[in-house]
Amino acid sequence: MNIAFFITPKIDLVYININSTMRQALEKMEYHRYSAIPLIDDDAKYVGTLTEGDLLWKLKNTPALSFNNTQDIRLSELSLHTINEPVSISAEIEDLFSRAIDQNFVPVVDDNDTFIGIVKRKEIIEYCAKTVLKERINFSAI
């Protein structure tokens, strides 16, 4: 089954531009209570996943940095420690199984590599659960 059935579109997501500041990211992630969000560039291309860990490591490894001056640090200056490889909109749900083991979401891009949404781990698990239940019902009907 094509992942288009499972995608949460970009318009319904929290994501952030790589030229935003650390403070903007911290506030956005705190407000929405997310520990990771997609990171895009000015051309709407997916460039990575920003995590709380990335922000904490920057704070830890930059002695003069405190919350009060996080507005001076652009996200482009951070090292990203989590690589969530995107998939094409034409991918099949089965292509996401191995990724869902380590990722809360899988970024989705179109044919021009433009970020268009994500597939959440929850959607993948629900699909698997429904498939297993359906197989059990079909098997017990035999």
Side-chain angles (χ1 to χ4, degrees), residues 78-138:
L78 274 67
S79 295
L80 301 180
H81 295 85
T82 302
I83 305 299
N84 288 355
E85 290 295 324
V87 296
S88 167
I89 187 63
S90 61
E92 298 294 321
I93 190 69
E94 294 81 6
D95 299 330
L96 305 182
F97 293 161
S98 62
R99 293 172 197 243
I101 292 169
D102 298 317
Q103 299 175 201
N104 288 331
F105 62 87
V106 179
V108 181
V109 297
D110 66 12
D111 293 336
N112 296 316
D113 289 326
T114 300
F115 176 71
I116 58 172
I118 63 171
V119 176
K120 298 174 188 168
R121 180 187 289 163
K122 176 183 176 186
E123 302 294 331
I124 298 166
I125 293 171
E126 286 176 350
Y127 170 80
C128 291
K130 287 177 187 175
T131 302
V132 168
L133 290 174
K134 188 176 177 182
E135 287 177 8
R136 284 187 182 171
I137 291 169
N138 290 338

